[in-house]
């Protein structure tokens, strides 16, 4: 079956602009996660959705970052007033209710802020 | 504060030999551990996991060992193949905390030489 998909695969923007990154989880997966990976580091947790609600947003670095999942499937990560330090690969993962421990990742969106 | 550490940035082994990747953690609340493999420009791919109630889990050429008293886990790959060359991340979570967020190590780059 189809895995987690993310669009766009690459996004180049200018400092101060607004960006949206999209994640389409595995069909039927109720849990969805966003992570951010900087060069040479492991992924860092940003936010977790169970269904439509954000169950844990403790990893969001500041109020410029926001994520939604209005219908409990597709999620959008929104970054306002982008800064050069936001440049990273943004990863999305999903997991099923039956196996909540194992998360399956998408290919990521590489964000470059000039 | 790095709760999950992979102290070896890189490892090189000969094809057919054993690869041993190590990971240490500090948080005693972690009860589920995973290993992911990552190729360039792709998202992390789930390899194998282990619950804290076990000390070993095996899947084909991959075996994960967990030593709770030492807060240490390792991934053994036998025999190693050139296609195993990738970055390997260990990750930990606290299933009982109901967030399921993964805390990743920094990764170890494995090179398997033909």
């Amino acid at each position: 079956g189809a895995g987690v998909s993310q669009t766009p695969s690459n996004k180049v923007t200018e400092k101060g602009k607004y960006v949206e990154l999209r994640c389409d989880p595995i069909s039927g997966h109720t849990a969805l996660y966003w992570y951010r990976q900087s060069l040479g580091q492991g992924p860092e947790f940003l936010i977790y959705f169970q269904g439509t609600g954000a169950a844990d947003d403790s990893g969001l670095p500041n109020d410029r970052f926001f994520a939604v999942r209005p219908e409990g499937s597709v999620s959008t990560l929104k970054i306002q007033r982008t800064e050069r330090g936001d440049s990273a690969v943004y990863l999305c993962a999903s997991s099923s209710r039956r196996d909540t421990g194992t998360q399956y990742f998408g290919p990521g969106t590489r964000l470059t802020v000039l | 504060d790095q709760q999950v550490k992979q102290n070896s940035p890189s490892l090189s082994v000969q094809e057919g030999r054993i690869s041993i990747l190590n990971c240490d953690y500090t948080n005693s609340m972690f009860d589920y551990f995973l290993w992911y493999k990552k190729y360039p420009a792709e998202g992390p791919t789930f390899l194998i996991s282990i619950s804290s109630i076990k000390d070993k889990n095996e899947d084909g050429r991959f075996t994960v060992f967990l030593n709770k008293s030492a807060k240490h886990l390792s991934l053994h790959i036998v025999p190693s193949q050139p296609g195993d060359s990738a970055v390997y991340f260990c990750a930990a979570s606290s299933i009982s905390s109901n967030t399921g967020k993964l805390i990743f190590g920094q990764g170890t780059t494995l090179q398997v030489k033909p």
Side-chain angles (χ1 to χ4, degrees):
Chain A
V4 177
S5 62
Q6 292 186 245
T7 55
S9 55
N10 280 284
K11 176 71 177 177
V12 180
T13 190
E14 293 179 344
K15 180 174 177 294
K17 300 288 189 182
Y18 168 84
V19 297
E20 290 190 351
L21 312 178
R22 175 189 167 108
C23 171
D24 206 336
I26 293 171
S27 178
H29 279 194
T30 56
L32 185 146
Y33 301 80
W34 284 98
Y35 293 82
R36 177 168 72 172
Q37 185 174 19
S38 301
L39 197 62
Q41 302 294 318
E44 291 183 317
F45 169 77
L46 294 176
I47 187 169
Y48 154 58
F49 287 90
Q50 184 59 256
T52 60
D56 182 355
D57 64 358
S58 61
L60 295 178
N62 51 61
D63 60 6
R64 295 187 297 106
F65 289 75
F66 189 72
V68 295
R69 195 186 184 199
E71 297 178 358
S73 178
V74 170
S75 176
T76 304
L77 178 66
K78 308 180 181 193
I79 310 175
Q80 298 178 320
R81 304 183 304 279
T82 51
E83 300 177 355
R84 292 194 180 89
D86 299 335
S87 296
V89 175
Y90 288 81
L91 294 162
C92 176
S94 68
S95 65
S96 70
R97 191 185 297 278
R98 280 197 318 160
D99 181 12
T100 55
T102 302
Q103 297 177 24
Y104 298 90
F105 283 81
T109 294
R110 179 173 296 278
L111 175 66
T112 303
V113 182
L114 301 176
Chain B
D1 178 29
Q2 192 80 25
Q3 297 186 68
V4 177
K5 292 183 181 179
Q6 294 175 255
N7 291 317
S8 297
S10 62
L11 175 67
S12 182
V13 300
Q14 208 66 34
E15 180 179 7
R17 307 293 282 268
I18 185 171
S19 295
I20 300 176
L21 297 103
N22 294 301
C23 179
D24 297 295
Y25 63 96
T26 57
N27 190 338
S28 57
M29 295 299 292
F30 289 146
D31 53 17
Y32 195 71
F33 304 88
L34 309 90
W35 284 94
Y36 285 85
K37 178 169 77 171
K38 188 179 183 305
Y39 293 119
E42 295 184 10
T45 302
F46 170 71
L47 269 180
I48 192 169
S49 61
I50 188 166
S51 165
S52 59
I53 62 173
K54 296 185 175 181
D55 54 19
K56 176 183 174 181
N57 189 26
E58 190 172 352
D59 184 1
R61 296 186 298 115
F62 302 91
T63 303
V64 56
F65 295 91
L66 176 62
N67 182 334
K68 287 190 294 292
S69 60
K71 293 190 176 68
H72 177 83
L73 65 154
S74 60
L75 174 68
H76 292 208
I77 306 173
V78 182
S80 302
Q81 299 173 354
D84 296 330
S85 298
V87 180
Y88 288 78
F89 292 97
C90 71
S93 70
S94 174
I95 299 292
S96 55
S97 72
N98 283 326
T99 79
K101 68 182 180 185
L102 297 178
I103 308 298
F104 284 84
Q106 310 95 308
T108 297
T109 300
L110 173 65
Q111 182 184 28
V112 180
K113 297 179 178 177

